[in-house]
Amino acid sequence: MSWGESRTITLTVNGTSYTREVEVRFHLADVLRHELGLTGTHLGCEHGVCGACTVLINGRSARSCLMLAVQADGAEITTIEGIADIDGPHAGGLHPLQEAFREFHGLQCGFCTPGMLTTLIELLRDNPAPTEEEVRIAISGNLCRCTGYQGIVDAALATAKNLREATAPA
Amino acid sequence: MTGQIGARHPRLEDGPLLRGLGRFLDDIPAPGALHAAFVRSPHPNAAIERIDPSAALALPGVRAVVTLDDLRPHLARTRMPLGFRSSKLPPTVTASVLADGEVAFVGQAIAIVLAETRHLAEDGVAAVSIDYTTRPALVDCRDALLPNPPMVRADHPHAVVARFALGYGDTDAAFANAACVVHENLFQHRGGAHPIEPRGILARYDHAEENLSVWSSTQMPHELFYMACEVLGLDENRLKLATPEVGGGFGAKYAVYPEELAIIATARMLRREVKWVEDRREHFIGSIQERDQYWDVSLALDADGRIRGLRGSLIHDQGAYTMQDVNVAYNAGTAVAGPYLVPAFHLDIVAVQTNKTPVLTVRGAGYPQACFTMERLMDAAAARLGMDRAALRRHNLVPPEKMPYEKPLKARSGAPIWYDCGDYPACQDELLEAADWNGFAARQQVARAAGKYRGIGIAHGVKGTGRGPFESALVRVMPSGRVSVFTGAAVMGQGLATALAQVCADQLGVSPEKISVIAGDTRTITLGLGGFGSRQLVMAGSSVQLAAKAVAVKLRKMASHMIEADENDLVLTDGFVHVIGTPPAAGKTIGDIANVLRGSPGAGLPADIEPGSDAHVNFRSDQLAYANVCHIAEVEVDPETGGVDIIAYTAMQDSGVLINPLIVDGQVHGSIAHGIGNALFEWMGYDADGQPVTTNLADYLLAGATDVPRMRTLYRQTPSPLNPLGAKGVGEVSTVPVAAAIISAIEHALAPFGAHLAQAPISPAQILATLQAGGAAHGPA
Ligand code: FES
Ligand code: FES
């Protein structure tokens, strides 16, 4: 049931198309989380600073708390729930970046993790050989209160290295 | 599987979290729930004359507006109980479940709007009309000590919450004949806890059974359970309380809040499911903080640098209400002397009420302020005596031959402050080597030649961990061969489930993957204290180890009947109980043994067998296990901008036996990042009228990935004699010395300008102001 002005939108999220009537004031994270049940995208501030809500919209990272759902009409969206399938299938069912987060202890409570993963997926696509400084700058808009970032940075650097080695001509 | 202790085992928690399948409070499906939004006070100090909800109730989708008067008939008491039951504070120091005729800080909850969506509830909040008579606010805690300060609130009109002195020895004599006396006036402030997941609660009312099921993002599920029963007058059998995944706590969730009880009471009154999720602005104004402390302290030393005594006073901002006790001020006061031999000590402490958000423990809980105080004095003394800062410290550290070492002070529990073990000088020696302290002058010269001002700082900390009095664990082997561990400890993102599984696996000869840790669910275990004081691995871990050991004995005894062997010849390996020296598969699986021990109707059990494959232990300890740390920070400071760049950070910690060094590293890294925030960024500001001015994460800064350097961590592992694991706590310990080490390094870098820094946090603007003032910085912006 809709309580205010609403509009019908279509989103493709993690490869599945959804058509929903949504209130125009709902931000994208509201719709992902509460209308589509994709609660892996987290809200830490709802004012665009913490980065926990970051998703990929048509391949680019964006804060789903700062975008109205109606603005995303027609977009292709990838959330944390869809990351394992990127460039997959992968052995073990997780994207190499997810595996590296586990190996290098890149998450503790896991609340910032959806935004960290989506942001770093974008970085590794744009820059397959980032320096530590570049990784830190890439996630400088994502706050983590638990890890001190070191495990996250190490996971990203190791993933970049592994992906480079996997795709290097023999 | 033995050999689990000390293994860098990847965490069992990670799988669902990495896939976005973790279930946090706001992720629990609640399609029929009413959504709550709080009407909060916009005034720091006011009497409430009238609340008019009519405009809100007329809005579409708004179902109710609830005030304290509405809840009153449904509450056994309207005022919150004090969380620390042995506190001597009067009961009026706490708040009511919702405002009772007055408000005493901006953000205090007055009423709840319940609506079909959160958006509608917030619309309703804006439409509730309240008439106030405002009163002048007491904002600066020092003003509480002036004659006739503003009254913070009418129902507890005392400016001073607690005034007490701590001490021992003859400080007058220590100072009278001292060759060197240094004095500092310090301002300290640590800001909020700021887990990235704010607080939240979901209360579900079951009509058929008249039961309440509650989920809360809390560090203390059992405390919330028992307090809810007390305040609502509930039969304990009518309430179930569990924690979902918790997105960090850091102290913010180490309290039972009025909002939580108000939501539970509302769900019961309306016979509806009710959900409230805190937003970040609410976290800034409604969740506990560690705010202003003003220290006026002196240190007396002999000419050779030996400490003779420490004395001074502390004014502590407690906020408008006290939730547990004056924990932060007490911890800070008793911890000042830290790792040093201080023969005489006297500190006068006054904790005062202000018209600001209540103060309670943030990660570190007063110990960082204690450390900063002591370490600023040590730096000042080193400068006065012309001694190397590290050498002066080493000269005064409690030496290993004096361990265990008792300080003539008492911890909050009443137990003596008793350092159980550790080699503080050895920690420092190893750290100096690793951070190349002696090579610093050369590095500094190179930097100076490039026009950069580089400095190095060192700080020591000691933190009481493993706070008692006990924690619960129930270990049960299931017929499937899996093992369940139930505990009253609270899982809040630290990796506790993995660590407990490792401890259990080590005793039962299974892999940690075979173990399910079920924490913080009052249906599965009746007692529990939860997550605070870097205690859970120490306390719950010890309970798990002892319980698992007892279960292993039961399994071996039963197996001795099943495979006709002496139980003393049996061992547990890979999920089997078998005769030592034979292949495991030649024995019986622990699942098969558990299946026999669970009994079967009418069948007999051997006479010496106690039914069941479980054991329950509440490991008890009244003594804190004291972990120690020493950190070295190296920084470059830009004297034009006041900008600080942390070039290198090296940390040594002795937390006793480490169960999982991977997790420990993560805790240390996170602690240091938090400490960097406390050194450079985190300031919860209020204007002169008592209005908060930093209520978003753009105005209030947390350390980001480019602010935190690569950290190097070193460990010594001195087993604590206080628990069977030999463990000490980890989670808060490395927060303690960070601000002290960094600000020492900044001051050192700016020594050519005669800088003297006396506050934490310190911003670039404040650093510049210090330089312009020719040295001394003191006080907030
Ligand atoms: S929730 Fe979107 S940036 Fe914080
Ligand atoms: S893992 Fe908890 S906020 Fe990053």
Side-chain angles (χ1 to χ4, degrees):
Chain A
M1 159 150 202
S2 172
W3 292 91
E5 189 189 344
S6 58
R7 216 163 287 165
T8 300
I9 61 169
T10 299
L11 306 174
T12 303
V13 187
N14 305 326
T16 304
S17 172
Y18 301 87
T19 299
R20 291 286 189 282
E21 188 188 336
V22 302
E23 285 189 40
V24 294
R25 67 170 166 175
F26 284 2
H27 55 53
L28 177 59
D30 282 334
V31 170
L32 292 171
R33 291 178 46 77
H34 299 305
E35 305 292 320
L36 307 185
L38 296 169
T39 54
T41 297
H42 296 154
L43 291 168
C45 71
E46 291 184 273
H47 51 248
V49 182
C50 77
C53 67
T54 307
V55 298
L56 297 173
I57 299 180
N58 300 327
R60 306 311 307 185
S61 64
R63 308 205 157 199
S64 59
C65 76
L66 284 189
M67 181 179 200
L68 294 170
V70 292
Q71 294 175 288
D73 189 14
E76 295 246 6
I77 297 168
T78 305
T79 67
I80 183 173
E81 289 93 339
I83 283 177
D85 296 326
I86 292 178
D87 305 329
H90 303 283
L94 289 178
H95 188 277
L97 184 65
Q98 290 169 307
E99 289 287 4
F101 262 58
R102 190 209 299 268
E103 184 184 346
F104 291 93
H105 196 25
L107 71 161
Q108 289 181 26
C109 76
F111 207 77
C112 68
T113 311
M116 292 291 181
L117 288 172
T118 47
T119 303
L120 288 169
I121 291 272
E122 180 186 46
L123 171 74
L124 296 179
R125 245 184 215 162
D126 291 351
N127 180 359
T131 62
E132 170 162 359
E133 180 70 9
E134 287 168 336
V135 172
R136 287 184 184 271
I137 289 170
I139 57 168
S140 62
N142 295 69
L143 294 172
C144 175
R145 192 54 147 173
C146 298
T147 64
Y149 307 100
Q150 194 150 313
I152 297 171
V153 170
D154 288 345
L157 291 172
T159 307
K161 182 159 176 281
N162 289 340
L163 289 177
R164 284 198 307 273
E165 282 166 9
T167 55
Chain B
M1 234 188 288
T2 52
Q4 285 297 320
I5 305 296
R8 294 179 77 90
H9 199 289
R11 301 194 323 163
L12 304 175
E13 293 90 337
D14 290 351
L17 295 172
L18 285 167
R19 292 183 160 86
L21 302 177
R23 182 159 282 183
F24 295 87
L25 191 277
D26 194 30
D27 305 338
I28 299 171
L34 287 177
H35 295 263
F38 283 93
V39 181
R40 294 180 181 276
S41 174
H43 301 297
N45 194 351
I48 298 172
E49 306 299 348
R50 193 180 63 102
I51 303 176
D52 178 4
S54 52
L57 289 168
L59 291 174
V62 172
R63 298 292 175 235
V65 176
V66 173
T67 64
L68 186 66
D69 284 338
D70 300 313
L71 289 181
R72 222 180 276 277
H74 304 273
L75 297 174
R77 52 181 292 173
T78 55
R79 199 185 278 278
M80 300 289 292
L82 253 181
F84 199 60
R85 304 264 155 163
S86 52
S87 169
K88 303 213 168 42
L89 297 176
T92 48
V93 297
T94 68
S96 294
V97 168
L98 287 170
D100 191 357
E102 64 176 345
V103 283
F105 66 95
V106 172
Q108 184 171 356
I110 298 170
I112 314 174
V113 176
L114 297 127
E116 297 295 336
T117 69
R118 173 67 182 244
H119 299 73
L120 296 167
E122 290 185 16
D123 294 344
V125 166
V128 172
S129 149
I130 302 180
D131 294 342
Y132 300 94
T133 301
T134 60
R135 306 186 287 227
L138 201 163
V139 182
D140 184 328
C141 61
R142 292 169 298 185
D143 291 348
L145 304 178
L146 298 175
N148 304 315
M151 180 187 71
V152 169
R153 54 194 170 96
D155 70 342
H156 188 78
H158 314 287
V160 170
V161 180
R163 189 189 285 277
F164 54 100
L166 298 168
Y168 54 82
D170 185 347
T171 44
D172 288 342
F175 277 79
N177 304 313
C180 169
V181 172
V182 289
H183 174 245
E184 292 283 349
N185 267 311
L186 305 171
F187 168 75
Q188 300 195 58
H189 175 117
R190 296 190 59 231
H194 293 290
I196 303 300
E197 182 206 32
R199 297 183 290 136
I201 185 164
L202 172 66
R204 187 171 288 167
Y205 185 81
D206 180 325
H207 290 266
E209 301 178 23
E210 299 194 336
N211 277 344
L212 281 161
S213 299
V214 175
W215 293 262
S216 181
S217 185
T218 179
Q219 294 171 230
M220 34 190 353
H222 284 82
E223 187 65 18
L224 174 56
F225 170 84
Y226 286 109
M227 217 184 257
C229 290
E230 178 182 350
V231 172
L232 272 70
L234 278 180
D235 169 354
E236 286 84 352
N237 296 304
R238 295 265 170 250
L239 179 64
K240 305 172 195 168
L241 195 139
T243 48
E245 306 271 9
V246 172
F250 311 110
K253 301 170 185 175
Y254 168 52
V256 175
Y257 285 84
E259 287 104 325
E260 290 174 293
L261 299 189
I263 293 290
I264 301 173
T266 298
R268 181 156 166 258
M269 178 177 79
L270 300 177
R271 301 175 158 247
R272 285 290 303 264
E273 182 172 10
V274 176
K275 175 173 172 175
W276 169 66
V277 176
E278 183 184 57
D279 69 22
R280 184 60 54 184
R281 179 168 189 279
E282 289 184 287
H283 190 81
F284 273 105
I285 58 179
S287 285
I288 62 91
Q289 311 164 352
E290 278 194 15
R291 272 192 323 270
D292 306 358
Q293 290 190 343
Y294 291 89
W295 295 74
D296 181 341
V297 280
S298 301
L299 186 70
L301 303 97
D302 285 331
D304 71 348
R306 184 79 62 187
I307 295 172
R308 295 172 59 87
L310 192 166
R311 71 181 174 197
S313 63
L314 162 61
I315 305 171
H316 167 86
D317 172 0
Q318 180 73 1
Y321 298 94
T322 296
M323 298 170 87
Q324 293 182 352
D325 202 342
V326 287
N327 318 18
V328 178
Y330 191 87
N331 286 351
T334 50
V336 174
Y340 302 112
L341 295 169
V342 176
F345 172 65
H346 185 92
L347 189 69
D348 290 309
I349 299 180
V350 57
V352 303
Q353 287 198 149
T354 57
N355 287 108
K356 295 190 273 187
T357 300
V359 161
L360 191 63
T361 49
V362 172
R363 187 179 209 168
Y367 285 82
Q369 295 93 320
C371 172
F372 185 78
T373 300
M374 188 69 198
E375 296 292 30
R376 288 282 70 206
L377 287 167
M378 292 300 271
D379 279 359
R384 182 75 57 82
L385 291 164
M387 285 179 75
D388 174 67
R389 287 169 294 162
L392 175 69
R393 284 168 168 83
R394 199 180 193 289
H395 199 43
N396 286 287
L397 288 170
V398 175
E401 58 275 13
K402 283 207 195 286
M403 290 288 179
Y405 179 77
E406 185 171 334
K407 295 234 164 180
L409 291 168
K410 290 199 179 336
R412 283 201 298 125
S413 65
I417 292 183
W418 189 81
Y419 294 170
D420 46 311
C421 60
D423 188 337
Y424 303 170
C427 282
Q428 175 170 312
D429 294 347
E430 228 177 285
L431 180 71
L432 292 182
E433 179 78 32
D436 192 18
W437 177 268
N438 292 330
F440 177 76
R443 296 196 292 283
Q444 190 179 37
Q445 250 174 16
V446 173
R448 194 69 52 84
K452 298 198 158 143
Y453 288 86
R454 197 181 262 234
I456 193 166
I458 181 170
H460 279 271
V462 175
K463 169 96 180 54
T465 72
R467 202 175 273 283
F470 69 88
E471 193 48 89
S472 60
L474 171 61
V475 172
R476 178 177 294 143
V477 175
M478 313 299 274
S480 63
R482 288 195 61 85
V483 182
S484 303
V485 173
F486 303 97
T487 175
V491 167
M492 53 209 198
Q494 333 87 315
L496 182 68
T498 301
L500 294 181
Q502 285 178 257
V503 169
C504 183
D506 199 59
Q507 295 296 320
L508 291 179
V510 296
S511 74
E513 284 74 11
K514 287 257 192 265
I515 296 172
S516 303
V517 175
I518 294 117
D521 183 337
T522 61
R523 284 165 300 184
T524 61
I525 198 152
T526 52
L527 297 179
L529 300 173
F532 56 94
S534 300
R535 65 185 297 274
Q536 302 204 100
L537 191 276
V538 176
M539 301 301 293
S542 295
S543 295
V544 167
Q545 189 189 49
L546 295 172
K549 203 172 257 185
V551 170
V553 169
K554 284 186 168 180
L555 295 175
R556 295 209 324 265
K557 185 170 267 198
M558 186 66 234
S560 75
H561 291 282
M562 294 165 72
I563 54 184
E564 293 183 6
D566 188 312
E567 63 181 283
N568 296 315
D569 295 335
L570 296 175
V571 290
L572 286 81
T573 317
D574 293 341
F576 290 89
V577 181
H578 62 102
V579 176
I580 191 162
T582 66
K588 293 283 177 193
T589 69
I590 59 171
D592 287 345
I593 302 167
N595 209 19
V596 175
L597 282 168
R598 80 179 172 88
S600 85
L605 277 175
D608 61 340
I609 290 296
E610 189 199 335
S613 52
D614 54 9
H616 187 167
V617 173
N618 294 323
F619 174 73
R620 185 164 172 195
S621 176
D622 299 320
Q623 290 292 346
L624 292 165
Y626 282 86
N628 65 288
V629 267
C630 187
H631 289 187
I632 290 179
E634 203 163 315
V635 305
E636 277 178 8
V637 188
D638 183 337
E640 302 285 309
T641 65
V644 175
D645 202 0
I646 304 169
I647 303 291
Y649 203 95
T650 318
M652 159 61 83
Q653 180 159 332
D654 188 344
S655 276
V657 173
L658 304 183
I659 308 303
N660 184 330
L662 182 71
I663 294 177
V664 172
D665 258 344
Q667 292 292 311
V668 172
H669 293 158
S671 288
I672 294 171
H674 197 143
I676 289 171
N678 293 147
L680 301 175
F681 306 119
E682 296 194 42
W683 180 62
M684 182 63 216
Y686 285 81
D687 70 12
D689 297 326
Q691 286 292 339
V693 295
T694 55
T695 57
N696 62 62
L697 290 170
D699 293 331
Y700 179 108
L701 301 179
L702 302 180
T706 49
D707 303 311
V708 178
R710 177 156 290 277
M711 299 159 267
R712 179 155 174 224
T713 53
L714 310 166
Y715 302 96
R716 288 177 70 87
Q717 299 192 45
T718 313
S720 173
L722 294 171
N723 61 78
L725 292 169
K728 300 180 178 189
V730 176
E732 299 169 282
V733 181
S734 264
T735 311
V736 174
V738 184
I742 289 175
I743 286 171
S744 174
I746 299 172
E747 185 178 272
H748 188 231
L750 297 176
F753 302 91
H756 172 232
L757 305 186
Q759 71 175 84
I762 190 157
S763 67
Q766 289 162 335
I767 289 173
L768 282 188
T770 312
L771 295 181
Q772 277 147 17
H778 174 249

